[in-house]
């Protein structure tokens, strides 16, 4: 378990630094499009998590430390939107469309509502 925690931690630092570097670069080059950095890391993160998940399905012998390090640590540090996308896709693939769309709606609209609520609480 310690090796897995270490792998997730180190890879998470790398993913987080890549997200920070991407944001810094985008903001320096396209300051009017602040959302472009988030969009870029979310889309790239979704591509990476799909590639990794598919690759790991084909290679069950890959140790859990590597799997967790790359998916939870690196991609999770880069973006959690990719995990949300994979979870939704897996629900759809398993025939749980109603649950998937519920998860999708609650995540998007609930997330917006929670963000608005948090911001509103700071204005009290």
């Amino acid at each position: 378990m310690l090796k897995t925690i270490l792998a997730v931690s180190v890879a998470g630092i790398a993913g987080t630094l890549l997200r920070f570097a991407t944001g810094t670069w985008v903001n320096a080059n396209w300051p009017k499009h602040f959302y472009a950095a988030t969009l870029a890391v979310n889309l790239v993160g979704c591509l990476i998590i799909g590639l990794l998940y598919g690759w790991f399905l084909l290679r069950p012998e890959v140790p859990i430390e590597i799997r967790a390090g790359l998916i939870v640590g690196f991609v999770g540090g880069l973006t959690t939107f990719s995990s949300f996308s994979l979870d939704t896709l897996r629900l759809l693939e398993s025939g749980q469309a109603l649950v998937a769309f519920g998860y999708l709606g609650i995540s998007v609209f609930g997330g917006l509502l929670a963000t608005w609520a948090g911001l509103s609480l700071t204005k009290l």
Side-chain angles (χ1 to χ4, degrees):
M1 183 65 160
L2 186 58
K3 286 181 6 181
T4 304
I5 292 170
L6 184 60
V8 169
S9 299
V10 170
I13 290 169
T16 301
L17 289 174
L18 181 57
R19 181 183 184 93
F20 176 75
T22 301
T24 301
W25 185 83
V26 167
N27 289 334
N29 291 285
W30 297 301
K32 293 179 184 176
H33 303 288
F34 67 92
Y35 53 84
T38 301
L39 180 61
V41 296
N42 284 342
L43 294 176
V44 169
C46 288
L47 176 64
I48 293 170
I49 204 169
L51 288 168
L52 288 172
Y53 185 73
W55 190 72
F56 292 148
L57 284 176
L58 296 172
R59 290 164 185 83
E61 72 279 0
V62 175
I64 188 65
E65 296 87 6
I66 304 244
R67 292 169 183 263
L70 290 174
I71 288 182
V72 178
F74 181 75
V75 182
L78 180 62
T79 173
T80 57
F81 185 79
S82 57
S83 297
F84 160 72
S85 297
L86 179 61
D87 290 344
T88 304
L89 185 61
R90 291 179 66 199
L91 285 168
L92 288 169
E93 288 177 342
S94 68
Q96 299 180 67
L98 187 59
V99 175
F101 287 111
Y103 178 60
L104 181 71
I106 291 168
S107 295
V108 172
F109 295 111
L112 288 170
L113 182 61
T115 302
W116 172 81
L119 183 59
S120 295
L121 288 171
T122 66
K123 295 178 181 179
L124 294 178

